[in-house]
Amino acid sequence: MYRRLRNSFIAGLVLLAPLGVTLFVLDFLRSKIGSRVTAMIPANILPPEIRRLPIVDFGLDMAAVVIVVLAITLLGLFSNYFLGKVLIIGTERVIDRVPFVNTVYRTVKQIVETFSKQQKAVFQKVVLTEYPRKGVYVLGFVTSVAKGEVQDKTGAEVINVFVPTTPNPTSGFLLMVPKDEIIELNMTVADGMKLIVSGGAVIPNHTQRPPQIAAEPVTISNPRAADIPPASGDAG
C-alpha cells in the first residue's frame, strides 16, 4: 500500500511538473520584471486608491511582462537585418574584452546555440552504450562520427555520443565510443529527451515510433541490436 501511494505521488508530480514550471516562470517574470516596470509608471496616471487595488497592481505587472516580451521579440526580428547584425557583432566585441564576463557569455552562448538550432540536427540518433562498466547502460545521443586526431589515435571507427544528466539535460559529458559497442534505438530524439528529463518515468512506446531523419545520417550497425525491431522504412 505504501509503495502504491508513493508511486502515485511521484506520477502526480510528473504530471504537475510542466504546469508548475510554467507558473513559476510566469510568476518570476511578473515579480522580477513586471513589478519593476510598473514602478516606473508615474503616480499621477492612476488615482492612489485605484493603484493600490490588488487586481490593478497584478494587471499592470502582467501588462509590463507582455511589453517586455514584445520588446524581446522585436529585438529578435531586428537582429535578422543588416543593421541589427552589425550592432550585435559590435556588442559582442565589447563583451569579449571584459575579463570573466566574456568567458560566461561565450559559454552560455554556446549552450543556447547547441540546443536551439534544431534544424542542424545536433542530436542525430538515440543510442545505448555500456557505461561506466559492462552490463550497465546509459542513454545517449549521437552527434557525429569522430574525425581527425581522435580517429587516427584510436585506430577504430569512433562515434561521438553526448550523454545528458538527469533531470537537467543541458549538462552532460561526451563519450567517444567504438561503433561496434553502440546499440541504436528506434525512439526519436524528443522521446529520448523525455525519458532522461523524467528520470525514466516517461517511457516511449517503441512499437509506434517513426524512423529518425538526420541531416547527416550516421550508420551504426551492431549485432546486439538485432532484437530491437527496426522502424518502418529504416534502411539499416
Side-chain angles (χ1 to χ4, degrees):
M1 183 65 182
Y2 169 76
R3 184 176 300 175
R4 291 183 60 185
L5 290 175
R6 183 193 62 186
N7 293 340
S8 298
F9 176 76
I10 294 175
L13 285 180
V14 172
L15 292 174
L16 289 177
L19 177 62
V21 172
T22 303
L23 294 177
F24 173 80
V25 171
L26 290 176
D27 183 69
F28 176 83
L29 291 175
R30 185 196 65 82
S31 60
K32 299 299 182 181
I33 298 178
S35 60
R36 294 184 180 182
V37 176
T38 302
M40 299 171 59
I41 300 177
N44 57 1
I45 291 182
L46 292 175
E49 59 275 9
I50 296 179
R51 178 68 178 269
R52 285 194 294 266
L53 293 176
I55 186 64
V56 175
D57 185 61
F58 178 81
L60 290 174
D61 289 349
M62 293 307 298
V65 170
V66 172
I67 293 174
V68 172
V69 171
L70 290 176
I72 295 175
T73 304
L74 291 176
L75 177 63
L77 292 174
F78 181 66
S79 66
N80 294 324
Y81 296 95
F82 174 77
L83 182 59
K85 293 179 180 180
V86 171
L87 291 176
I88 292 175
I89 293 174
T91 303
E92 289 183 344
R93 288 179 178 176
V94 173
I95 294 176
D96 283 339
R97 296 179 180 178
V98 181
F100 179 73
V101 176
N102 55 2
T103 303
V104 176
Y105 177 80
R106 283 196 295 264
T107 302
V108 175
K109 182 180 179 181
Q110 290 175 355
I111 294 174
V112 171
E113 288 180 346
T114 299
F115 288 93
S116 63
K117 295 183 179 179
Q118 300 178 358
Q119 68 274 14
K120 291 189 177 181
V122 176
F123 297 152
Q124 299 178 9
K125 294 178 182 292
V126 185
V127 297
L128 285 177
T129 187
E130 291 180 297
Y131 180 86
R133 62 173 176 82
K134 292 291 184 181
V136 177
Y137 295 87
V138 293
L139 193 73
F141 301 94
V142 173
T143 57
S144 64
V145 176
K147 299 178 181 179
E149 185 177 3
V150 173
Q151 201 75 287
D152 294 338
K153 295 293 185 181
T154 58
E157 189 171 0
V158 180
I159 306 298
N160 293 328
V161 179
F162 176 73
V163 179
T165 55
T166 301
N168 178 19
T170 59
S171 64
F173 49 93
L174 174 65
L175 295 180
M176 299 179 183
V177 188
K179 188 174 70 171
D180 59 356
E181 296 182 12
I182 288 178
I183 301 176
E184 182 180 349
L185 302 180
N186 291 326
M187 69 175 67
T188 64
V189 172
D191 283 340
M193 195 63 70
K194 291 177 184 177
L195 182 63
I196 290 175
V197 172
S198 67
V202 179
I203 302 176
N205 185 356
H206 72 281
T207 61
Q208 299 179 1
R209 296 298 106 187
Q212 299 183 73
I213 300 176
E216 297 179 359
V218 177
T219 302
I220 303 172
S221 60
N222 190 330
R224 291 182 297 174
D227 58 336
I228 301 178
S232 175
D234 192 351

